[in-house]
Amino acid sequence: MATRAPPIDRRACGDAPASGGCHCAAPEAGATRTRADAVSWTDADGVHIDVRGLPPPEPFVAILRLVESAAPDGVVIVHHDRDPLPLYGELAERGWHAERIAGAAGEVRLRLSRDG
């Protein structure tokens, strides 16, 4: 049986707004848990999903589930602790692409959007 990594202190993600606190912190108002135990919330730049600390394949499943339910012009921001290489081919098959964007130290942050 796989064991889950220790919880990540999301308050220290380096993405704290000026008002204090990190908008990666969860749970908070508007944050929901997916079946894979990932945390998701909506912000001005899109729907965020934090899959850090989840064992494979939970991040993969949670991200694809969110992508499949996203609005046609939707953007998904992924907070991950590793580069999800198998995800890129699945995204391409669904008409999506990933762009790596700035994140906290040790975090892989991706912006997912539909092609075209």
Side-chain angles (χ1 to χ4, degrees):
M1 182 172 148
T3 59
R4 182 147 182 198
I8 294 174
D9 182 2
R10 290 180 175 92
R11 293 171 296 174
C13 83
D15 198 22
S19 61
C22 169
H23 50 270
C24 294
E28 63 181 54
T32 58
R33 292 204 175 270
T34 67
R35 286 176 44 193
D37 214 19
V39 177
S40 63
W41 68 97
T42 301
D43 208 346
D45 56 350
V47 178
H48 290 245
I49 185 165
D50 190 341
V51 296
R52 293 176 287 181
L54 297 178
E58 291 178 22
F60 181 84
V61 172
I63 294 165
L64 288 180
R65 185 174 292 123
L66 183 58
V67 162
E68 290 170 351
S69 68
D73 61 346
V75 170
V76 174
I77 307 295
V78 175
H79 301 258
H80 212 312
D81 48 13
R82 57 190 170 275
D83 194 6
L85 297 176
L87 179 66
Y88 302 131
E90 291 293 326
L91 289 171
E93 286 181 19
R94 290 166 169 79
W96 286 70
H97 66 276
E99 169 191 4
R100 187 144 181 193
I101 59 176
E107 175 190 11
V108 174
R109 191 174 300 184
L110 303 171
R111 181 182 187 275
L112 310 182
S113 58
R114 294 187 195 274
D115 293 335

